[in-house]
Amino acid sequence: MDDQNKNLILATVLSLVVILGWFLIFPPEEQAPSPEIDEISTAPTESLGPGTANDSVPGSALEQAAPVAQEAPRIAVETPELTGSLSLRGGRIDDLSLVDYNETLDPESPLVRLLSPVGTDTPYYAVWGWAPVGGTATALPGPDTVWSLESGETLTPESPVTLSWDNGEGLIFRRTISVDDKFMFDVEQTVENTTDTAVTLAPYGFVARHGEPDTQGFFILHEGVVRMTDGTLEEIDYSDMPDLEPDARGAGRVDVSEVTGNGWTGFTDKYWMTTLIPEPGTPFRSVVRYSDRSEVYQTDAVLPALEVAPGATASSDTRLFAGAKEWEAIQGYQNEGGIEGFVDSIDWGWFFFLTKPIFMLLHFLNGLIGNMGWAIVALTLILKAIVFPLAYRSYVSMAKMKELQPEMEALKERAGDDRQEMQKGMMKLYKENKVNPASGCLPILLQIPIFFSLYKVIFVTIELRHAPWFGWIRDLSAPDPSSILNLFGLLPFAAPDPSSFLAIISLGVLPILLGVSMWLQQKLNPAPSDPTQKMVFAWMPWVFMFMLGNFASGLVLYWITNNVVTFVQQYAIMRSHGAKPDIFGNIKQGFKRKPKPAEAKAANTPGKPKK
């Protein structure tokens, strides 16, 4: 392999080192903890125009501070996946925990809490209501309205509940809430007009979060608003919402998007999501809001106004997804529930054309094998098989380059310091032997997008969260918990905390195996003759070992498996082409004492005896 080819490989690998190093050395600043915020309510600031949906939502949690809401009766929510309650004050869904997800690996740890009522440290809830349109002046139910339970006792997949409220002016409002066995609620709002005058009202729903949410704070992960507008996905980070344009009427900062046919809007965290979904085919106004004063984050879905004739009843239906971003569930809602682009609520990243199929294959293998760790190993074998034809040509070319090494050395001696003559001779040598000097870089270049795509999959998909492999690896989305500092559990003290500086040198079993596998892979070929390249290549396995030491165990497992398969493939191909890798000789060569300059000069001087 000539110097130019070595430089290309070196530059590629060092680029990867710089990118990975940047992730570790310069992580984004952690978000400050969210303060406790009191209940906030508003009065209507402007009427909705006839037949239209204005971006001013009565009851929006933005404008006017009010005391913490008083206690009100609650209706229990019990499903196979959710537990909690909804409040008759406002008829809001504001208390949900996820049955199958604990905060830590300890099965006795608290359940993950998704929604919380006003009065807790982090209020997070969904509210529905009606807004007046075209001068309609009548009492309407708002976030503080106390509803009556008309039917049902506990909200389950088999038993919906119906709430009612009579405004005393001839309008009777009902809200029927049902839920499936996963994470989808259906909220049907109806209004019965018993007066002798038609009224025009616009149904709406909003999701509000009080205080700055506690996020992962990692720049490759989106957390904040996620919404679909007629096939276009839009994401707004929590940190970007304070930079939205101020509302002309003083109702905080807003970003408005008109949905003509299909869409949804809500908030997404790393693993959890709360999303409002109007019926497919229904136009609505999607509004993102933020209040500088009250620090409330909000998304609204304001639907077209409905005219309710005397003696008639009008209704509006909206769904609410509140739960874990499980791929199967979300895909089912997209394919069977008609929610366009719902699977894109999972943050697939820029390499979505790779991350999606990689995850789908990994998910299938996990279902087939029953263990996510072995599924990652199987995925690695399949990916290596897919790229094997290209890798084969690359390894064959590298084997031919090795065969040409004596001729290349002779050419260098003949050319001396004439680099132009040497390059010309090498190109002729390559052409005569049909060798592509750049082909050795292809496996490395292929690995980079695959590596980052798999990293994204392991980092963002909930299927990897708390997924065990075997033994001490109980969470493939977390770093290897073992530590060389306590001899992998033999000494009677715990490994350093991940936030500690000592965590950098607290290597687990998997990172050490990664470094050894990279080191052995290098020993298939002699060390480069150039001293600088030789030093860089000698340190590279151990640098990667420390850099990837705190990466997810699943990713390190993939890299180890990839290195082992690459070693076997390259060794077999080199042997099949007459090259005999001297692995043990190359290892021993690496441990030999480097000769001092005087000794090296004496050894290379003609007539001088070699020591």
Side-chain angles (χ1 to χ4, degrees), residues 161-409:
V161 297
T162 299
L163 315 180
S164 64
W165 182 73
D166 189 332
N167 75 345
E169 300 175 11
L171 297 182
I172 302 173
F173 296 88
R174 290 182 176 86
R175 184 173 300 165
T176 300
I177 305 173
S178 57
V179 64
D180 65 11
D181 59 357
K182 295 298 288 186
F183 309 112
M184 191 68 76
F185 294 83
D186 186 275
V187 179
E188 182 185 22
Q189 298 190 91
T190 63
V191 54
E192 179 184 356
N193 184 5
T194 63
T195 70
D196 55 3
T197 305
V199 295
T200 304
L201 304 174
Y204 68 85
F206 69 80
V207 176
R209 302 192 76 164
H210 292 216
E212 188 174 2
D214 184 15
T215 63
Q216 293 282 319
F218 205 54
F219 71 94
I220 71 164
L221 172 69
H222 168 66
E223 293 177 281
V225 174
V226 58
R227 62 179 177 178
M228 182 67 68
T229 304
D230 297 317
T232 301
L233 182 71
E234 183 180 3
E235 298 175 335
I236 305 175
D237 291 341
Y238 289 119
S239 59
D240 292 333
M241 292 181 68
D243 297 326
L244 297 176
E245 291 296 323
D247 180 64
R249 292 158 300 190
R253 299 176 178 270
V254 299
D255 182 88
V256 181
S257 179
E258 300 290 347
V259 181
T260 60
N262 292 280
W264 38 267
T265 181
F267 292 111
T268 179
D269 298 326
K270 182 176 182 179
Y271 295 127
W272 332 111
M273 182 170 64
T274 307
T275 308
L276 288 169
I277 309 158
E279 281 296 291
T282 303
F284 69 96
R285 178 165 291 177
S286 175
V287 185
V288 175
R289 299 175 178 273
Y290 174 77
S291 170
D292 295 306
R293 179 167 53 88
S294 58
E295 200 176 11
V296 173
Y297 302 75
Q298 183 172 313
T299 60
D300 305 338
V302 189
L303 283 73
L306 301 175
E307 183 175 343
V308 190
T313 299
S315 65
S316 174
D317 196 81
T318 305
R319 285 177 284 179
L320 172 74
F321 177 93
K325 296 196 292 185
E326 296 176 359
W327 179 76
E328 278 192 354
I330 290 178
Q331 186 187 48
Y333 291 131
Q334 174 178 292
N335 297 341
E336 300 168 17
I339 305 176
E340 182 181 3
F342 203 43
V343 77
D344 290 330
S345 61
I346 300 173
D347 185 11
W348 302 108
W350 291 350
F351 292 108
F352 63 90
F353 51 88
L354 287 177
T355 50
K356 281 187 179 181
I358 284 176
F359 172 78
M360 292 171 66
L361 179 56
L362 181 62
H363 185 75
F364 169 78
L365 292 171
N366 182 46
L368 191 66
I369 299 172
N371 182 285
M372 187 60 79
W374 295 119
I376 291 175
V377 173
L379 172 69
T380 309
L381 296 176
I382 292 173
L383 291 176
K384 294 296 289 184
I386 292 174
V387 300
F388 179 73
L390 187 58
Y392 178 81
R393 290 195 294 270
S394 172
Y395 296 146
V396 168
S397 180
M398 291 173 67
K400 288 182 178 179
M401 291 280 289
K402 187 174 181 63
E403 294 173 8
L404 293 176
Q405 197 67 30
E407 296 182 51
M408 293 170 65
E409 291 296 332

Side-chain angles (χ1 to χ4, degrees), residues 38-70:
D38 289 341
E39 167 84 86
I40 295 173
S41 63
T42 64
T45 56
E46 185 175 323
S47 296
L48 300 173
T52 65
N54 195 293
D55 59 339
S56 177
V57 176
S60 169
L62 288 176
E63 297 176 5
Q64 184 176 340
V68 175
Q70 299 175 3

Side-chain angles (χ1 to χ4, degrees), residues 13-24 219 448 452 547:
V13 175
L14 288 179
S15 298
L16 180 59
V17 171
V18 169
I19 293 172
L20 294 175
W22 186 271
F23 289 171
L24 295 175
F219 71 94
I448 294 176
F452 281 115
M547 287 180 59

